[in-house]
């Protein structure tokens, strides 16, 4: 089973695997509950499986994306991080795997794209976003893979997406 839901007595309530669903992946990397009680699940996807799904509290599918989806060339095939900030915006980070997909997207609660970063529009974290976190000051920290000296491996943004600080492999303090 790729993903299971257990009750407080550790009894199985629901599960997903490749045999009973088309929205389960080989590997799940991130599970997050947003402020509306929706469960976001992100992971590795191939062959048309969905890389990110949103479920309601009764396990009904609300929304999904996969690497073949035309939804604004969403994060390619692997979702590593899902996080909601204090404004209710959902941040999703993953693997771009090419120059046409986004490594990080920010959505509103209605799944509308607010902001994104990809290979072409910035020297932001290069190809893979592994971690997204909001600190007590409302700053967003994003960490990932920086295989190039000009790309950033960790960035700190304010709530308006402005860069506050970054580190890359050339920094002596990184």
């Amino acid at each position: 089973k790729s993903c299971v839901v257990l009750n407080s007595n550790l009894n199985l309530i629901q599960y997903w695997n490749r045999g009973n669903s088309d929205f389960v992946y080989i590997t799940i990397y991130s599970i997050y509950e947003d402020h509306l009680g929706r469960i976001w699940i992100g992971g590795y996807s191939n062959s048309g499986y969905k890389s990110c799904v949103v479920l309601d509290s009764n396990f009904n599918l609300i929304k999904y994306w996969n690497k073949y989806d035309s939804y604004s060339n969403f994060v390619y095939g692997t979702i590593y991080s899902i996080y909601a900030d204090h404004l209710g915006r959902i941040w999703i980070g993953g693997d771009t795997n090419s120059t046409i997909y986004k490594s990080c997207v920010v959505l509103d609660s209605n799944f509308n794209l607010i902001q994104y970063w990809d290979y072409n529009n910035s020297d932001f974290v290069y190809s893979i976003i592994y971690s997204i976190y909001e600190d007590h000051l409302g700053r967003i920290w994003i960490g990932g893979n920086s295989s190039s000296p000009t790309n950033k491996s960790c960035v700190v943004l304010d709530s308006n997406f402005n860069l506050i600080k970054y580190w890359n492999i050339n920094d002596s303090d990184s």
Side-chain angles (χ1 to χ4, degrees):
K1 297 172 178 57
S2 296
C3 185
V4 299
V5 179
L6 305 175
N7 66 16
S8 60
N9 295 323
L10 303 180
N11 297 317
L12 182 66
I13 297 173
Q14 176 72 35
Y15 74 91
W16 298 272
N17 62 25
R18 283 196 271 177
N20 76 344
S21 172
D22 69 340
F23 70 84
V24 173
Y25 339 88
I26 296 167
T27 306
I28 292 176
Y29 291 107
S30 187
I31 301 173
Y32 190 85
E33 181 179 12
D34 69 17
H35 69 284
L36 298 173
R38 301 176 300 192
I39 300 295
W40 296 67
I41 303 172
Y44 172 74
S45 171
N46 66 3
S47 302
Y49 286 95
K50 296 157 181 68
S51 57
C52 187
V53 298
V54 183
L55 305 174
D56 67 17
S57 60
N58 294 315
F59 313 114
N60 297 310
L61 183 64
I62 298 171
K63 183 77 174 168
Y64 71 86
W65 298 271
N66 65 33
K67 69 181 181 180
Y68 304 113
D69 201 340
S70 61
Y71 181 76
S72 304
N73 294 330
F74 196 63
V75 175
Y76 178 65
T78 305
I79 304 295
Y80 289 107
S81 186
I82 302 171
Y83 189 82
D85 65 19
H86 74 282
L87 298 173
R89 301 176 299 192
I90 301 293
W91 296 68
I92 301 173
D95 185 354
T96 60
N97 203 29
S98 79
T99 60
I100 65 168
Y101 294 98
K102 296 160 179 55
S103 60
C104 186
V105 298
V106 183
L107 307 175
D108 67 17
S109 60
N110 294 316
F111 312 110
N112 297 309
L113 185 65
I114 298 172
Q115 177 67 295
Y116 71 90
W117 294 270
D118 65 14
Y119 180 84
N120 297 311
N121 78 342
S122 88
D123 59 350
F124 195 64
V125 175
Y126 178 60
S127 62
I128 302 174
I129 304 293
Y130 288 114
S131 183
I132 302 171
Y133 181 76
E134 181 178 28
D135 68 19
H136 70 283
L137 298 174
R139 301 175 300 193
I140 300 294
W141 293 69
I142 301 173
N145 177 357
S146 176
S147 58
S148 166
T150 61
N151 295 108
K152 299 158 180 65
S153 56
C154 183
V155 298
V156 182
L157 306 173
D158 67 18
S159 61
N160 294 316
F161 312 113
N162 296 309
L163 182 65
I164 297 172
K165 174 79 176 153
Y166 70 88
W167 296 267
N168 64 24
I169 59 176
N170 288 331
D171 293 326
S172 60
D173 64 343
S174 62

